[in-house]
């Protein structure tokens, strides 16, 4: 049985209040989080928990990140309307949908064909036409589409991915979780300038690992 519309409205209000209480303050990010219907990006069995501040399982052993982490990473990107964004790890397409409300174009790479096809269809049906979902190796990025003003990685890299850094535009920003699977992971913000890369270590997190190559079985 689906939730009553009134309950869904209450859940979404609490969802936004939770983001504000946890420190998300950028009005554009909060508006994007409000506009994107998270319930459309979770598995049907988890619809009632769509607006809870927790990660949820999706196909292929992956997850949809908790709303606070989505909002936090988006805020740290400091997106501008003209930016082209590379997202590594499409998943259900939720993070890409949020990014699409704030940037000119989003190129999203997913190693699992099943997830990529489902996300592409979902995003198109919801009207997020400035997102291009491609199947490929996220660690390789999309060199033919580079450079990107912003890059976001939604799985934990064991070390800084040089191929992605190379695809970052001058004065570009990349936000990613860094650390070993099952070990200490933190969100890292990298800013590229003519003099090199500056690094800022942010909050502790737990993400699925960023794996090389395109998945062959799914």
């Amino acid at each position: 049985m689906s939730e009553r519309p009134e309950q869904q409205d209450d859940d979404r209000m609490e969802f936004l209040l939770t983001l504000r209480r946890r420190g998300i303050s950028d009005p554009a990010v909060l508006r994007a989080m409000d506009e994107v219907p998270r319930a459309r990006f979770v598995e049907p069995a988890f619809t009632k928990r769509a607006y809870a501040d927790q990660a949820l399982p999706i196909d292929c052993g992956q997850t949809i990140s908790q709303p606070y982490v989505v909002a936090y990473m988006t805020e740290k990107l400091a997106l501008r309307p003209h930016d082209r964004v590379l997202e590594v790890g499409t998943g259900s397409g939720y993070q890409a949908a949020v990014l699409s409300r704030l940037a000119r174009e989003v190129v999203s790479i997913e190693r699992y064909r099943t997830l990529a096809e489902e996300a592409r269809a979902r995003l198109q049906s919801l009207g997020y036409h400035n997102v291009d979902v491609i199947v490929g190796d996220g660690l390789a990025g999309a060199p033919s589409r580079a450079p990107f003003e912003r890059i976001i990685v939604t799985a934990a890299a064991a070390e800084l991915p040089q191929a992605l850094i190379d695809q970052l535009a001058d004065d570009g920003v990349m936000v990613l979780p860094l650390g070993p699977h099952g070990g200490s992971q933190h969100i890292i913000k990298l800013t590229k300038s003519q003099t090199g890369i500056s690094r800022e270590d942010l909050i502790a997190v737990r993400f699925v690992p960023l794996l090389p190559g395109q998945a062959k079985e799914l």
Side-chain angles (χ1 to χ4, degrees), residues 12-13 15 20 31 39 41 60 107 110 125 133 138 172 179 196 216:
R12 291 185 73 158
M13 287 178 62
F15 165 82
R20 291 190 177 97
R31 184 167 59 251
F41 292 85
C60 305
V107 177
E110 175 53 58
S125 71
V133 178
K216 293 181 171 58

Side-chain angles (χ1 to χ4, degrees), residues 18-80:
T18 297
L19 295 179
R20 291 190 177 97
R21 281 196 296 263
R22 298 197 64 182
I24 304 301
S25 59
D26 186 323
V29 172
L30 289 166
R31 184 167 59 251
M33 296 293 292
D34 186 31
E35 289 174 354
V36 176
R38 184 173 164 89
R40 297 289 296 274
F41 292 85
V42 304
E43 295 296 308
F46 296 103
T47 300
K48 289 185 177 181
R49 293 158 60 185
Y51 295 100
D53 194 27
Q54 62 185 110
L56 295 171
I58 59 174
D59 283 347
C60 305
Q62 303 302 294
T63 60
I64 176 174
S65 296
Q66 71 183 95
Y68 170 69
V69 172
V70 172
Y72 182 86
M73 294 180 74
T74 302
E75 190 169 66
K76 291 301 179 182
L77 282 174
L79 289 160
R80 302 161 300 183

